[in-house]
Amino acid sequence: MTFLLVIVFILVATLSAAHLLKSSFAVLLPSILFSVTLVLYVFGALNILGAGYVVVLISVAVLAISAFVHSGPRRILHSLRGAISPSIVLFIAYALISFILTRDMRLANWDEFSHWGATVKATFIYDAIAPYNPVELVYRSYPPALTLFEYFIMKLGGGWHEGNLFWAYQLLFFSLFLPFTRAVRWHSLDKLLAIVPLMTLAPFVIFHTYETIFVDPFLGLLFGYALALVYTGNPRSRSLTLHLSLALAMLVLTKDSGAFFAAVVLVLLLSKFIPHRYPVRATRNVIGTLLAVGVPALVVVVCYNTWKSLLAGLQVPAVFSDPIDLRELSGLLDGTGRPYWEEVIRGFSTALIDSPISSAQGYFLSHVFWLLLAAI
């Protein structure tokens, strides 16, 4: 029942939005999941997370009714028949396989017990994000985006099941690949055969992606998704502004370091407006440029500051959130840095070149090998 409830919710929400916005399921899916998370974040920050869950359900119902009224039953049925694309079938297939494989999965790592699993359970039980939660959580200052999406899947499923933590996590990162299947049609299945291995193997570039609910693999994939949006999209497109703003909001609210990654994406976006590529010939172009860059930048600033203000207001101490000291980083180059940094660099080098890409059986090749294979 959990599988059906979650998949029906995702399909109804995404297809309704796609119909109203004249977009596609593949393109809109990540943004719909991000939007659900951000609505929960707003209500969670106000300490009425349970109301946020209800608002999400009501909003999707209104969205579906609006799509129905806008088109009428006949056109809706016609649209649904035409909407059964390879992207939808691919997502449902991945979701089903993931659901089956995660039924017996359990939290097994210290970080899951100390935070990533414990925080979701506390949020689920008390309908409150970490800073407000009565449970004595160690890392209350960690941004809540991933926790909130996993909380939503748990609530929608009607009960606590550890396997659903892993399933929710995998649904999120599967969705990040789906926009790049939007051009695949049933008559071009050769493209699908090329994409499926990529979607399956790419997450292994980040260690333990399929085996844990650590935030770092998702953060890396989300950063790549945001970069890909900018690289492949029209920077003046309203569609890009919408999807990128939602992606950057998720980056900032997934982990503190997400703010740095969001800044990198914004710099890349700004570079696409360099005059020799997109000549600025009129005031209208200048305004368009300011909006295209300013809206995502404003979203980043708002998300970052609302979370920091919430922590400051509740006097929640920051954990593992020390600012980066550029002078100390320069020590890596001239040999005057902290002694243990040399060990860290050696450890990363060994992991990159010699260590297996995953502890899963059969994926024993190094990160460097997979990167070279991807480049080829």
Side-chain angles (χ1 to χ4, degrees):
M1 183 60 73
T2 297
F3 177 82
L4 288 177
L5 287 172
V6 172
I7 294 303
V8 167
F9 172 87
I10 291 174
L11 289 177
V12 169
T14 310
L15 288 174
S16 298
H19 181 77
L20 293 171
L21 297 175
K22 295 180 173 53
S23 185
S24 69
F25 176 89
V27 170
L28 277 175
L29 178 61
S31 293
I32 290 294
L33 302 187
F34 298 163
S35 297
V36 168
T37 305
L38 294 173
V39 170
L40 293 176
Y41 169 69
V42 171
F43 282 87
L46 297 173
N47 200 19
I48 46 174
L49 183 57
Y53 172 75
V54 174
V55 167
V56 169
L57 297 183
I58 293 174
S59 299
V60 170
V62 170
L63 195 65
I65 293 171
S66 299
F68 184 83
V69 171
H70 180 262
S71 297
R74 290 186 179 180
R75 287 185 62 186
I76 283 289
L77 289 174
H78 178 74
S79 297
L80 287 176
R81 284 195 294 268
I84 303 176
S85 63
S87 299
I88 293 179
V89 173
L90 184 62
F91 175 73
I92 295 175
Y94 265 99
L96 179 59
I97 294 170
S98 174
F99 183 79
I100 293 171
L101 294 179
T102 55
R103 291 310 83 198
D104 294 326
M105 293 185 71
R106 296 292 182 266
L107 303 177
N109 297 279
W110 169 250
D111 284 3
E112 293 173 334
F113 288 121
S114 64
H115 179 72
W116 302 115
T119 303
V120 179
K121 189 163 189 177
T123 303
F124 175 77
I125 293 172
Y126 291 101
D127 287 319
I129 59 176
Y132 292 111
N133 208 288
V135 176
E136 289 296 327
L137 298 168
V138 180
Y139 305 107
R140 293 175 178 272
S141 66
Y142 275 22
L146 186 58
T147 295
L148 287 171
F149 183 75
E150 292 165 343
Y151 157 86
F152 179 77
I153 297 299
M154 287 289 183
K155 292 283 284 188
L156 202 56
W160 177 262
H161 190 296
E162 283 191 18
N164 288 338
L165 283 173
F166 297 89
W167 186 47
Y169 182 85
Q170 292 177 17
L171 284 179
L172 263 183
F173 73 69
F174 283 147
S175 74
L176 300 179
F177 291 94
L178 217 64
F180 308 104
T181 69
R182 64 186 181 275
V184 177
R185 298 292 182 267
W186 289 115
H187 62 270
S188 59
L189 292 181
D190 55 324
K191 294 181 180 179
L192 194 63
L193 293 176
I195 290 172
V196 169
L198 175 63
M199 290 179 63
T200 305
L201 295 175
F204 280 105
V205 173
I206 305 176
F207 198 62
H208 287 319
T209 306
Y210 287 105
E211 303 161 52
T212 72
I213 55 170
F214 291 175
V215 72
D216 301 287
F218 173 66
L219 185 72
L221 291 170
L222 181 58
F223 178 46
Y225 167 79
L227 288 174
L229 284 180
V230 177
Y231 270 120
T232 61
N234 177 0
R236 297 189 186 279
S237 165
R238 293 180 182 177
S239 175
L240 176 64
T241 301
L242 170 65
H243 298 309
L244 185 62
S245 296
L246 291 170
L248 295 185
M250 282 292 290
L251 263 177
V252 173
L253 295 173
T254 294
K255 194 174 183 181
D256 282 331
S257 55
F260 169 77
F261 294 134
V264 172
V265 175
L266 287 172
V267 170
L268 175 63
L269 177 64
L270 187 61
S271 72
K272 297 194 77 173
F273 289 95
I274 294 175
H276 75 272
R277 298 190 61 184
Y278 292 93
V280 179
R281 298 173 180 171
T283 304
R284 181 180 176 183
N285 285 351
V286 173
I287 294 174
T289 300
L290 291 175
L291 288 175
V293 179
V295 171
L298 180 62
V299 168
V300 168
V301 171
V302 169
C303 289
Y304 180 84
N305 284 289
T306 54
W307 181 246
K308 293 302 180 182
S309 297
L310 176 64
L311 297 179
L314 296 174
Q315 297 182 334
V316 176
V319 180
F320 296 138
S321 298
D322 294 334
I324 297 174
D325 190 327
L326 296 179
R327 290 172 299 178
E328 288 194 358
L329 285 179
S330 66
L332 287 174
L333 302 176
D334 59 23
T336 60
R338 300 182 187 183
Y340 79 89
W341 283 8
E342 294 182 11
E343 295 182 30
V344 172
I345 296 300
R346 282 197 298 270
F348 270 100
S349 300
T350 300
L352 185 66
I353 298 171
D354 299 327
S355 296
I357 201 149
S358 172
S359 59
Q361 294 296 323
Y363 296 93
F364 52 88
L365 300 171
S366 72
H367 290 72
V368 167
F369 176 88
W370 286 109
L371 290 172
L372 291 174
L373 185 62
I376 294 172

